Amino acid sequence: MNKLKSLLAVCCMAAVSSVDAQTLTLNLDKADRTVSPTLYGLMTEEINYAYEGGLYTQLLRDPTMRELQEMGRGQGQRPRVRTAPKPRSWVPTDTLSASCRIANRQMPVRKTTLNIAPETVRHNSLVIETTKDGEGVINKGFWGIAAAPNTKYTGSFFIHTPGVVTVGLKSAKDDKVLAQQTIAVSGDSWQQKDFTLQVGDAISETTNAVFFITFAKAGKYEISYTTLFPASKRGTKFAGLRDDLMDMMTAMHPTFLRFPGGNYLEGNRFSERFNWKNTVGPLSERPGHQCPWGYWSTDGMGLLEFLTWTEKIGAEPILGVFAGYVLQGDYVEGEALEPFIKDALDEIEYVIGGPQTKWGAQRVKDGHPEPFRLQYVEIGNEDFFDRSGSYSRRFQQFYEAIKAKYPQLQIISTIDEKALRSGSDDPANLKVDMIDEHYYRNTEGMYKAAWQYDSYDRNGPKIFCGEWASREGGPTTNLNAALGDAAWMTCMERNSDILVASCYAPLFVNVSQDGGQKKYPGMQWESDLIGYDAFSAYGSPSYYAQCMFAGNLGDKVVPITAADIPDMHYGNGELPQLYYVATRDTQSGTVYLKIVNGGGTAVKVRLSAQGGKLRTSKSELISLKSAKPDDTNTIDNPKNIVPQTSKCKIKNGGTITVAPYSINVYVIK
Ligand code: AHR
C-alpha cells in the first residue's frame, strides 16, 4: 500500500524553527480539502439500557414478562435459567400476608396478524392469585417511573380472565394514588384493554411513581403484555422517544445515525440477531429478543422507530445489515447466506422502496408514506473479529447483490483495515466503497493518534470511523476523555476529505443506582456520552466537546502551519501539548479554529494568516475547561463543565492564551 505522507501532516507535526515561537499560521489560500457533509453523526445500539429504560419511553420494566427467564446472561453466555417460576419486575401488591401470589407462564402462542414474520409471538403471561379483594401487582419501571403533574399517560394490557381491574399510578414515597382507571373485563378470551391515566395537580413536581394493576375481587387472573407511555410531543405513530434525549442529540448537529449496532446487530447467536422483520408492525406483536448486553429487548425500538428517530434529529441513516456472523463466532456463507442477503435487500426496500414494492408498501401501511433518505449501507459489524476469514467472501456477496439493485448506495465494509491495506486479507478483487474503523483508546492513545489519518492514502477506500471514544471516567466520561476526544476530532476534521463520517460509542447509559451489588445496574460499558435516569439526563464533557465541534464547522479545511508547539509530559513520555484544526465556511467566510490544550499550563499562541485576513470584529471563543482533568458531570451535578461563550479579539499576528485543560473553538467571523 502506497503510504502518502500528506503535506498537511508535515505542516502540522514539524516544528519549523524559522517561524515565531508557538505560532499557528492559517493558510487561507490553501483551503482546498472539502469537509465531508456527513462528518459528524451518531451511533446507537441497545446497550446500557439505551432504549429499554432509555430513549424508548415505554415506562414499565419487562412488559412482555420474559425478563427472569432470560436474565443472567452476559455476552456469549448461555441462559442460566430457562423457565422461571417468578417474574422479577412484577411484584405482588401484598408481600406481607401473601394474599397475592404471582407466577410466570408462557403465553399461548398467537400468530402475527402482520403475516410478515413467520415466527409466532411468545410473550409470557403473569398468573396472579389473590385471596383478598383489591390486590394485584406493581411495577417500578426502570429504577423509577417519572410521573409529571398535568400529564397524560396511555397504555394497555392483555387479559383473558373476567373481573373488574384497576390500573393506575401511585407515589412511590407515600402510596398516594396519582391517577387510576377501572376497567370491566368480560369473557375468557385474550383481549387487549387500553387505558388512559391523567395525572393532575395531586403532585406539584415530577415524582417517582409505581404502576399498579389490581383486581376488585379475590381470585385467579392472567395478564400479559402491559405497557405505559407518557404523552410526548415527539411521539411517533408507534412509540414515543424521550424528549430530553432527543433535544440533546439534536444539539449535537448529527448528520447521520448508525444503527442498529454494534454487537446488537449481530447478537450472540443467530436467533438473537437484530432480525428487522420481527421489529416492525404493532408493538404487541413483536416477539422481542435477547440482547447481547445481557437483557431482554422488546424491540419497541424497531426499524421504523430507528428511521423516524433519524428523521426527527435531521439526520440520515447509516443502515447496518446483518451479515451472517454472530458474536459466538458462528457464520454462514455461500448459499446459506442467501436468505440473509434477501433480508438485507428487503430491509433496504422497506427504507427506500416505493408504495408499489412489497416492503415499501409495508412501510406505507406502518405509517410512513415517503421513502427515507439512504446513501450508506454497512455490511455487518466488526467482522475483523471473524477469524474464519469468511468476511471478504460474505461481504462480496452482499456488495454484488445490493449494488445490482441499488447502484446508488455506498457499501461500507467492516473488514480489518490494516489487513486490507497490507493485502493480507484476500482482497484480490474486493470492491469496498468505505471501511469502518473502530478506536477505543485512553486519552494518551488519542493524543498519539492525532495525526493518524494525515498519512492515509488519498486514493484508497473512504473511511468511516463508526465507533470511537477516549475511555476515561464512568459511567460517563470526564474532561480528560473529552480532551482526548477533541484531539482525535482535530485529526478527523483535518482529514475529512477521506474520513467521510464518524460517530462516538456508546451514546447512552442509564446511570440509576438502586443500592444493590452493582453500583450502576443499568451500565454494561463504562465511559459513555450521555447519562440519564428515569427523571433527567445530562451530557458528559465529551458530549459538549462534540456539540462544539459539530456545531462549528466550515466546508473547507484550512491547513495550519505550526511552529514551536510545546511538549507536555504525558504518561511515560512527551507529547505535543496542543492539537488544532481549522475549517472555513466558503459562503460566510467564517473561520472555525479549534485548539485543544491537554496540559496543565496556559499556552500563548501567535495567530497569523496567509493568503487572507483574520478579521477581528465579532469573533467568539467557545471554551470547555476545568481546573482538573478528572473533573466531570454527573446526574446530580449535570452542568459542572459546560461550554462558555465569550467575545474575543483575534488580530493578525496577535496572541491568544489557551487555557490549561481546555477545548476551544474560535469563531472568527
Ligand atoms: O460500543 C460498544 C461495543 O464496542 C459495540 O457493540 C461493538 O461494536 C464494539 O466492540
Side-chain angles (χ1 to χ4, degrees):
M1 183 75 39
N2 179 17
K3 295 222 169 192
L4 288 178
K5 251 285 190 240
S6 76
L7 173 65
L8 198 59
V10 176
C11 291
C12 292
M13 289 183 85
V16 185
S17 56
S18 62
V19 191
D20 280 2
Q22 288 162 208
T23 301
L24 294 180
T25 302
L26 275 59
N27 297 294
L28 296 170
D29 51 345
K30 296 200 176 86
D32 302 328
R33 283 186 181 173
T34 297
V35 175
S36 166
T38 52
L39 178 58
Y40 292 115
L42 300 175
M43 185 267 171
T44 178
E45 67 171 319
E46 183 60 275
I47 182 175
N48 298 325
Y49 288 84
Y51 315 141
E52 308 286 334
L55 183 66
Y56 173 52
T57 55
Q58 197 293 113
L59 295 168
L60 304 181
R61 183 149 174 187
D62 195 17
T64 55
M65 293 144 190
R66 296 199 59 142
E67 196 179 52
L68 190 85
Q69 190 181 32
E70 300 287 348
M71 284 298 293
R73 293 174 62 186
Q75 270 194 292
Q77 293 171 347
R78 294 197 172 277
R80 280 210 295 270
V81 190
R82 247 324 181 195
T83 49
K86 272 196 185 158
R88 198 181 122 116
S89 297
W90 295 91
V91 183
T93 42
D94 177 14
T95 44
L96 292 178
S97 66
S99 68
C100 176
R101 289 188 300 119
I102 58 176
N104 242 171
R105 116 166 159 195
Q106 190 168 34
M107 174 117 169
V109 172
R110 293 180 293 115
K111 289 269 182 218
T112 64
T113 53
L114 250 190
N115 201 25
I116 57 166
E119 289 91 350
T120 50
V121 179
R122 289 170 183 267
H123 302 317
N124 283 357
S125 70
L126 216 55
V127 180
I128 306 162
E129 285 186 80
T130 63
T131 54
K132 240 169 65 183
D133 294 352
E135 298 297 346
V137 287
I138 60 166
N139 188 302
K140 296 181 182 171
F142 294 90
W143 304 283
I145 293 175
N150 301 313
T151 303
K152 196 159 84 178
Y153 296 81
T154 57
S156 71
F157 59 95
F158 279 78
I159 187 163
H160 79 104
T161 40
V164 176
V165 184
T166 301
V167 291
L169 284 168
K170 60 183 180 179
S171 159
K173 202 161 129 205
D174 56 14
D175 274 353
K176 183 172 163 184
V177 172
L178 307 177
Q180 63 180 18
Q181 189 185 337
T182 297
I183 296 163
V185 179
S186 53
D188 59 5
S189 59
W190 280 104
Q191 48 201 286
Q192 185 172 20
K193 292 287 183 189
D194 295 330
F195 58 83
T196 301
L197 301 174
Q198 176 68 49
V199 175
D201 295 330
I203 42 172
S204 56
E205 58 185 38
T206 301
T207 301
N208 186 12
V210 169
F211 174 79
F212 62 88
I213 177 159
T214 57
F215 306 92
K217 294 279 169 223
K220 189 170 176 179
Y221 301 92
E222 188 167 9
I223 61 168
S224 183
Y225 188 66
T226 304
T227 56
L228 178 71
F229 291 94
S232 167
K233 64 177 189 258
R234 289 187 194 253
T236 65
K237 187 167 159 48
F238 296 99
L241 304 173
R242 204 170 129 165
D243 293 349
D244 53 355
L245 297 177
M246 290 295 282
D247 289 342
M248 286 183 75
M249 286 187 281
T250 306
M252 293 176 74
H253 306 275
T255 57
F256 67 85
L257 178 69
R258 174 184 179 231
F259 64 82
N263 290 357
Y264 186 58
L265 170 69
E266 303 164 273
N268 282 334
R269 60 194 72 208
F270 275 83
S271 60
E272 295 172 2
R273 70 190 188 279
F274 183 82
N275 184 356
W276 77 269
K277 286 178 180 169
N278 279 351
T279 75
V280 292
L283 293 172
S284 65
E285 297 192 357
R286 301 182 191 181
H289 71 287
Q290 177 67 18
C291 126
W293 298 101
Y295 56 96
W296 187 259
S297 166
T298 60
D299 285 326
M301 283 296 305
L303 179 60
L304 186 65
E305 285 77 17
F306 281 116
L307 291 164
T308 47
W309 164 11
T310 310
E311 205 171 54
K312 279 168 193 283
I313 56 173
E316 64 180 275
I318 291 191
L319 180 69
V321 297
F322 179 75
Y325 170 81
V326 295
L327 292 167
Q328 284 182 342
D330 298 337
Y331 68 95
V332 288
E333 60 178 315
E335 213 177 309
L337 191 61
E338 288 302 325
F340 297 106
I341 293 176
K342 175 158 189 328
D343 268 354
L345 291 172
D346 290 348
E347 188 171 7
I348 295 168
E349 189 174 287
Y350 186 92
V351 179
I352 58 175
Q356 75 290 354
T357 63
K358 178 178 173 190
W359 294 104
Q362 183 66 50
R363 185 199 63 241
V364 175
K365 192 171 156 215
D366 290 345
H368 199 285
E370 291 304 315
F372 290 92
R373 280 156 67 196
L374 184 70
Q375 38 171 345
Y376 299 118
V377 173
E378 177 162 17
I379 312 302
N381 172 62
E382 294 193 337
D383 286 77
F384 44 78
F385 282 126
D386 171 14
R387 298 285 168 235
S388 74
S390 70
Y391 182 65
S392 24
R393 296 187 294 277
R394 288 188 285 113
F395 177 81
Q396 192 85 33
Q397 268 180 272
F398 274 95
Y399 186 96
E400 278 163 15
I402 295 173
K403 283 280 185 179
K405 196 161 174 201
Y406 303 103
Q408 78 277 21
L409 293 179
Q410 292 288 294
I411 313 295
I412 303 173
S413 171
T414 72
I415 197 166
D416 185 332
E417 163 285 312
K418 285 192 196 69
L420 182 71
R421 284 174 195 277
S422 69
S424 68
D425 194 4
D426 185 26
N429 297 308
L430 198 64
K431 289 189 218 89
V432 172
D433 297 333
M434 212 148 120
I435 301 177
D436 182 0
E437 300 179 0
H438 294 178
Y439 297 107
Y440 293 103
R441 301 171 168 133
N442 59 15
T443 297
E444 182 181 2
M446 283 303 192
Y447 288 154
K448 284 183 174 157
W451 280 273
Q452 168 179 329
Y453 289 125
D454 295 64
S455 60
Y456 270 41
D457 182 357
R458 271 28 218 180
N459 299 314
K462 300 284 186 210
I463 308 298
F464 170 37
C465 190
E467 291 181 30
W468 64 268
S470 312
R471 299 194 62 197
E472 294 197 13
T476 48
T477 52
N478 59 23
L479 179 69
N480 206 42
L483 291 166
D485 290 344
W488 178 240
M489 284 190 283
T490 64
C491 176
M492 294 196 290
E493 213 167 289
R494 192 169 52 247
N495 290 284
S496 61
D497 57 327
I498 52 162
L499 190 126
V500 176
S502 70
C503 45
Y504 183 101
L507 179 63
F508 290 140
V509 60
N510 187 316
V511 299
S512 299
Q513 298 187 46
D514 62 1
Q517 270 189 332
K518 266 190 95 187
K519 186 163 182 202
Y520 298 107
M523 178 184 80
Q524 293 85 48
W525 182 282
E526 198 168 328
S527 302
D528 304 290
L529 200 66
I530 295 175
Y532 50 83
D533 60 14
F535 309 94
S536 64
Y538 71 98
S540 61
S542 298
Y543 164 79
Y544 288 112
Q546 285 186 55
C547 293
M548 286 164 63
F549 268 63
N552 295 285
L553 187 63
D555 54 6
K556 292 282 178 190
V557 178
V558 179
I560 294 178
T561 310
D564 292 345
I565 295 305
D567 276 351
M568 60 176 174
H569 191 71
Y570 200 99
N572 294 324
E574 302 294 311
L575 285 170
Q577 185 168 345
L578 300 185
Y579 302 84
Y580 39 82
V581 68
T583 57
R584 183 173 61 180
D585 185 275
T586 317
Q587 278 218 321
S588 66
T590 300
V591 172
Y592 301 96
L593 169 64
K594 292 157 183 171
I595 307 181
V596 182
N597 182 354
T601 53
V603 179
K604 277 202 167 159
V605 174
R606 187 175 302 283
L607 277 188
S608 65
Q610 285 285 334
K613 277 191 182 160
L614 294 177
R615 271 180 270 146
T616 58
S617 64
K618 288 204 221 149
S619 290
E620 273 179 359
L621 166 62
I622 309 164
S623 189
L624 187 74
K625 60 186 174 201
S626 193
K628 291 194 269 93
D630 57 358
D631 282 346
T632 197
N633 296 335
T634 63
I635 194 95
D636 297 323
N637 192 5
K639 302 267 166 160
N640 187 34
I641 305 174
V642 293
Q644 307 289 344
T645 303
S646 57
K647 299 249 172 284
C648 79
K649 286 196 175 148
I650 303 273
K651 220 169 49 180
N652 235 355
T655 57
I656 52 171
T657 302
V658 187
Y661 304 128
S662 68
I663 299 164
N664 307 280
V665 179
Y666 297 89
V667 183
I668 307 168
K669 296 182 183 166

